[in-house]
Amino acid sequence: MTRKKITVIGSINMDLVTETRKIPRAGETVLGDSFHTVPGGKGANQAVAAARLGADVTLIGCVGQDAFGEELVKHLSNQGIHMDYVRMVAHQPTGIASIIISDGDNRIIVVPGANNQVSPELVEEHENIIAKSDIVLLQLEIPLKSVEKAIEIAKKHNVKVILNPAPIQALSKELVQKIDYLTPNEHEQQELLISASEWSEQEKKDLMAKCIVTKGSKGVMIFQNGEKEISGYKVEVVDTTGAGDTFNGALAYSLSLGIELEEACRFANAAGALSVTKLGAQGGMPTKQEVEEFLEIQKERKG
Ligand code: RIB
């Protein structure tokens, strides 16, 4: 079977992960437990998730001309991702995320650096890559104008678009109309609805119909043909960073194969659950076989 083409246009970060039992208050110093430098960035994470499952993934983005940039480009091409369209830009450092993990939860500060150089012009340069894709997968860690340009090009070529609206920001009605699937978490969903408060009832309904709301271990909600809940899985949590990214990469993979939405969400949900069992955003991202085995075990447990 020919592999489906997924193009991810998004951020590439180095994650600086500190595990600590105590989070310092302002002016306080505490001793942490461990520190790791691991690949991250929502764009790169989603690209890795889809590639590990078997998709033919191209990443469009920017890193700095520095050690992190070099390491990330090498790492991502080792994951089988086409990296020819990732630019190493001068005068901006590679994006980083400072992540504190405490008590199973994470707190993240992203400094975009080179990710801000993913301009609409750069996106436009790669129109032919977008046009040849089965799915374009986007997030909001690059400038919104560039996300808008990517969506405009994808629509021009009838390519399906998934936008993971994270970190959340207000989206215009015109933009939402062009998106096929929006994948907010519960908090982002609330924010989307607040920013749509002036829209007509029909426009709000249309927005909801595109939403696939991720709720972590509580599962996923879809609203396409009425409200439907897809239940989550209980697993041993090591690090929840990147669970949403794994879900998005796996969703793009499943949908690109023509699998219907509910089934695709079930698969993506299982991939997301597996991802939290290891440290690092990309550490626990599963292969297709691992997801299928996990789903089989869950089925047997249910009896
Ligand atoms: O979604 C998790 C990701 O968000 C991390 O890898 C970090 O880089 C931030 O972009």
Side-chain angles (χ1 to χ4, degrees):
M1 194 169 62
T2 50
R3 289 155 77 220
K4 296 294 178 181
K5 289 188 191 309
I6 296 176
T7 299
V8 182
I9 305 161
S11 59
I12 306 168
N13 295 336
M14 189 59 92
D15 289 354
L16 314 176
V17 186
T18 301
E19 290 183 283
T20 180
R21 267 159 288 179
K22 193 158 182 237
I23 295 168
R25 285 168 300 179
E28 189 185 16
T29 301
V30 299
L31 291 179
D33 298 315
S34 72
F35 176 75
H36 302 271
T37 307
V38 291
K42 291 188 195 302
N45 293 345
Q46 296 183 15
V48 170
R52 217 165 269 177
L53 290 165
D56 182 0
V57 181
T58 299
L59 181 57
I60 298 174
C62 289
V63 294
Q65 291 176 356
D66 49 29
F68 282 165
E70 270 171 33
E71 197 180 327
L72 287 166
V73 168
K74 202 164 152 203
H75 161 76
L76 291 164
S77 37
N78 285 342
Q79 300 294 310
I81 296 168
H82 300 292
M83 294 293 288
D84 300 349
Y85 314 107
V86 170
R87 193 171 283 176
M88 290 187 94
V89 296
H91 313 304
Q92 279 295 336
T94 297
I96 64 102
S98 182
I99 303 182
I100 294 178
I101 301 179
S102 191
D103 223 1
D105 272 327
N106 59 37
R107 289 168 171 77
I108 305 182
I109 301 171
V110 173
V111 183
N115 293 306
N116 279 339
Q117 303 297 307
V118 184
S119 61
E121 293 73 31
L122 185 131
V123 172
E124 208 162 13
E125 273 176 39
H126 302 305
E127 175 160 353
N128 62 329
I129 306 293
I130 296 173
K132 281 189 270 170
S133 312
D134 292 292
I135 288 205
V136 166
L137 180 55
L138 297 150
Q139 321 72 30
L140 298 176
E141 281 187 343
I142 56 169
L144 182 59
K145 280 189 292 184
S146 311
V147 171
E148 288 168 348
K149 178 54 80 184
I151 292 172
E152 180 193 311
I153 297 172
K155 282 300 100 182
K156 178 172 153 197
H157 296 280
N158 281 323
V159 175
K160 285 224 160 14
V161 172
I162 302 176
L163 172 65
N164 173 219
I168 190 67
Q169 48 182 299
L171 303 177
S172 72
K173 233 186 295 187
E174 294 69 31
L175 187 69
V176 167
Q177 276 161 5
K178 294 182 206 145
I179 296 166
D180 296 280
Y181 303 100
L182 273 159
T183 55
N185 62 21
E186 289 172 284
H187 157 74
E188 290 153 0
Q189 168 72 355
Q190 285 313 313
E191 294 289 321
L192 278 180
L193 289 176
I194 291 169
S195 66
S197 56
E198 303 286 300
W199 300 10
S200 74
E201 284 312 308
Q202 188 55 48
E203 286 161 349
K204 283 188 217 165
K205 246 188 177 172
D206 294 344
L207 164 69
M208 281 308 289
K210 290 173 189 227
C211 282
I212 298 164
V213 182
T214 55
K215 303 195 304 175
S217 62
K218 289 182 279 161
V220 176
M221 294 293 295
I222 52 178
F223 303 87
Q224 232 177 21
N225 303 310
E227 203 172 305
K228 170 114 199 154
E229 187 171 34
I230 294 159
S231 40
Y233 303 101
K234 288 224 167 2
V235 289
E236 208 137 300
V237 177
V238 174
D239 180 6
T240 57
T241 314
D245 296 332
T246 310
F247 178 89
N248 276 280
L251 181 73
Y253 166 75
S254 291
L255 291 174
S256 74
L257 295 176
I259 293 170
E260 57 91 27
L261 184 63
E262 198 177 321
E263 200 47 42
C265 285
R266 204 161 281 126
F267 181 88
N269 212 9
L274 281 168
S275 77
V276 305
T277 59
K278 295 199 183 124
L279 185 87
Q282 297 171 16
M285 287 176 176
T287 60
K288 185 176 180 223
Q289 192 182 340
E290 284 167 336
V291 178
E292 285 172 348
E293 283 170 7
F294 177 79
L295 282 169
E296 211 40 56
I297 293 169
Q298 300 299 319
K299 228 196 257 167
E300 282 164 19
R301 274 199 193 148
K302 259 182 148 180

